[in-house]
């Protein structure tokens, strides 16, 4: 009987997190470098994200960064996790992915989300408001129509029309229902809230309508996974992001990642400490044996076909080591297709 891990694809989302003492340019180059390393380890996809006006994230233009990643690699699939569709006109998104697919045929994914920015200032700068997220389903239909050449405008998206770029819906809130109605693969997280994630997956599978894009449900679960030689070393990988999240919850801004050793010596208010400790819990983290056991459990519970790993940390060498160890758990490195 085969292991659920052996039957599962493993992919990575890197958010180009900036680090204290390092530049935005370094963060973007780190992302491209990591993609090359992960291609050699046999990961299936490498995705980049869209954030606007966030001090701790350099990845603001995912299709541009995806082009750089695809140009630096040869076989790994490259895509977005995701392009936030309410921020853009669907025609422009179709054209951008049409260009990517034309340049790197058979390797491009189109992950799509419905966020319209984290703050009022960002939404104002984008010319959007919170209500624009409610139009996501219609925007998604319009976008897919550009690839099929069915726009009622009489306009044709060049070079997108006639190309097949696999679309994925990032399931936040109503995303699972939208993905099911549209008949699209779904990315859902996070691993820290297993019950909510399972409810979303169950709804998606129960209401899925086959489409030209996907004949049956396809579930990608996402979240943080950290693997190291000891449980303590794995936990330290989680420290920088946990602190940045705690800081954002208490100060309203998301900072660059600090080194773990600095965080561990910082004085925190009780509120900060609560958010920080919460941020360290619920992830899949530990030694290879511990992580393999937790992965087996979550894959059996969810029946997911793919795992999208979203780990961020200050120490890039330790991060790469974690991905090497994870590749050792999930199968022979370099053997995924």
């Amino acid at each position: 009987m085969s292991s659920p891990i052996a039957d599962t694809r493993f992919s990575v989302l890197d958010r180009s997190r900036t680090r204290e003492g390092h530049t935005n340019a370094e963060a973007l180059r780190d992302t491209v470098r990591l993609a090359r390393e992960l291609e050699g380890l046999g990961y299936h996809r490498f995705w980049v994200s869209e954030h606007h006006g966030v001090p701790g994230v350099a990845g603001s233009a995912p299709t541009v960064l995806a082009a750089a990643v695809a140009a630096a690699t040869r076989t790994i699939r490259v895509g977005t996790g995701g392009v936030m569709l309410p921020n853009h006109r669907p025609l422009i998104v179709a054209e951008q992915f049409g260009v990517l697919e034309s340049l790197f045929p058979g390797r491009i994914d189109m992950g799509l989300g419905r966020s319209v920015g984290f703050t009022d200032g960002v939404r104002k700068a984008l010319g959007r408001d919170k209500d624009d997220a409610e139009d996501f389903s219609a925007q998604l239909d319009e976008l897919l129509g550009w690839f099929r050449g069915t726009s009622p405008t009489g306009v044709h998206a060049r070079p997108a029309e006639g190309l097949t770029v696999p679309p994925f819906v990032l399931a936040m809130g109503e995303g699972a229902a939208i993905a099911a109605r549209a008949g699209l693969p779904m990315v859902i997280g996070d691993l820290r809230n297993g019950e909510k994630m399972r409810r979303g997956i169950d709804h998606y599978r129960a209401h899925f309508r086959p489409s030209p894009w996907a004949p049956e449900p396809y579930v990608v679960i996402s979240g943080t996974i950290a693997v190291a030689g000891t449980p303590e070393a794995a936990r330290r990988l989680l420290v920088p992001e946990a602190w940045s999240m705690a800081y954002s919850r208490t100060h309203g801004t998301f900072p660059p990642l600090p080194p773990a050793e600095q965080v561990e010596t910082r004085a925190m208010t009780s509120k900060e400490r609560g958010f920080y400790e919460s941020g360290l819990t619920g992830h899949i983290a530990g030694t290879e044996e511990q992580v393999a056991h937790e992965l087996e459990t979550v894959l059996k519970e969810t029946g997911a076909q793919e795992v999208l790993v979203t780990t961020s940390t200050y120490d890039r060498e330790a991060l790469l080591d974690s991905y090497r160890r994870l590749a050792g758990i999930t199968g022979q490195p370099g053997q995924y297709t």
Side-chain angles (χ1 to χ4, degrees):
M1 185 175 177
S2 63
S3 157
I5 293 176
D7 295 333
T8 303
R9 290 168 164 166
F10 283 81
S11 301
V12 171
L13 167 67
D14 190 76
R15 289 181 290 138
S16 304
R17 290 287 274 115
T18 56
R19 299 179 290 157
E20 287 186 5
H22 297 265
T23 65
N24 288 322
E26 286 179 275
L28 295 169
R29 293 189 183 105
D30 284 343
T31 292
V32 175
R33 188 177 304 114
L34 181 62
R36 286 199 297 263
E37 297 280 2
L38 296 183
E39 179 176 68
L41 292 172
Y43 283 87
H44 184 62
R45 308 179 205 276
F46 188 90
W47 282 6
V48 296
S49 62
E50 175 182 339
H51 294 277
H52 300 286
V54 180
V57 182
S60 57
T63 53
V64 177
L65 184 53
V69 169
T73 54
R74 294 185 303 107
T75 57
I76 196 168
R77 296 195 64 88
V78 177
T80 56
V83 164
M84 296 302 148
L85 197 50
N87 293 338
H88 312 279
R89 293 302 307 166
L91 171 61
I92 302 301
V93 176
E95 289 171 339
Q96 290 173 344
F97 280 98
V99 169
L100 285 170
E101 176 64 21
S102 297
L103 291 172
F104 309 102
R107 291 179 56 206
I108 301 301
D109 300 321
M110 186 167 59
L112 304 162
R114 61 196 293 269
S115 171
V116 286
F118 295 126
T119 67
D120 289 338
V122 169
R123 288 189 288 270
K124 184 177 180 180
L126 291 169
R128 299 291 186 269
D129 58 43
K130 289 182 179 180
D131 292 340
D132 287 316
E134 303 307 315
D135 296 329
F136 179 68
S137 186
Q139 294 162 342
L140 184 61
D141 288 343
E142 181 183 341
L143 172 62
L144 299 180
W146 288 117
F147 287 92
R148 296 191 297 262
T150 58
S151 172
T153 64
V155 176
H156 298 273
R158 312 289 189 200
E161 188 173 311
L163 298 180
T164 300
V165 181
F168 295 74
V169 172
L170 275 61
M172 302 295 288
E174 294 299 311
I178 292 170
R181 285 197 302 270
L184 299 180
M186 177 184 71
V187 183
I188 188 167
D190 65 42
L191 297 171
R192 301 179 65 202
N193 194 337
E195 185 178 343
K196 181 179 178 182
M197 185 172 68
R198 287 190 294 274
R199 285 200 306 269
I201 291 171
D202 289 345
H203 180 93
Y204 169 70
R205 289 197 174 112
H207 295 86
F208 183 86
R209 299 175 182 174
S211 76
W213 304 96
E216 56 189 26
Y218 188 88
V219 174
V220 184
I221 56 173
S222 67
T224 294
I225 301 175
V227 196
T230 65
E232 295 76 21
R235 183 182 184 277
R236 283 174 64 82
L237 281 166
L238 306 176
V239 164
E241 185 77 5
W243 164 249
S244 289
M245 289 298 294
Y247 188 92
S248 72
R249 297 288 296 275
T250 52
H251 293 77
T253 183
F254 199 61
L257 295 173
E261 57 270 21
Q262 284 187 19
V263 174
E264 291 169 341
T265 61
R266 284 180 179 173
M268 300 184 199
T269 66
S270 59
K271 189 174 183 181
E272 286 172 339
R273 176 66 63 181
F275 284 128
Y276 171 66
E277 294 294 343
S278 175
L280 291 172
T281 62
H283 307 291
I284 295 180
T287 63
E288 282 95 327
E289 184 178 0
Q290 291 169 324
V291 167
H293 175 73
E294 290 192 57
L295 274 175
E296 290 267 2
T297 299
V298 74
L299 289 172
K300 287 175 181 176
E301 290 176 349
T302 62
Q305 288 100 325
E306 189 168 339
V307 177
L308 182 68
V309 187
T310 62
T311 310
S312 295
T313 195
Y314 180 89
D315 187 337
R316 298 294 292 193
E317 284 304 314
L319 179 64
L320 179 57
D321 181 66
S322 176
Y323 281 127
R324 287 195 191 105
R325 292 174 183 269
L326 181 59
I329 295 168
T330 59
Q332 290 298 316
Q335 296 303 304
Y336 302 121
T337 57

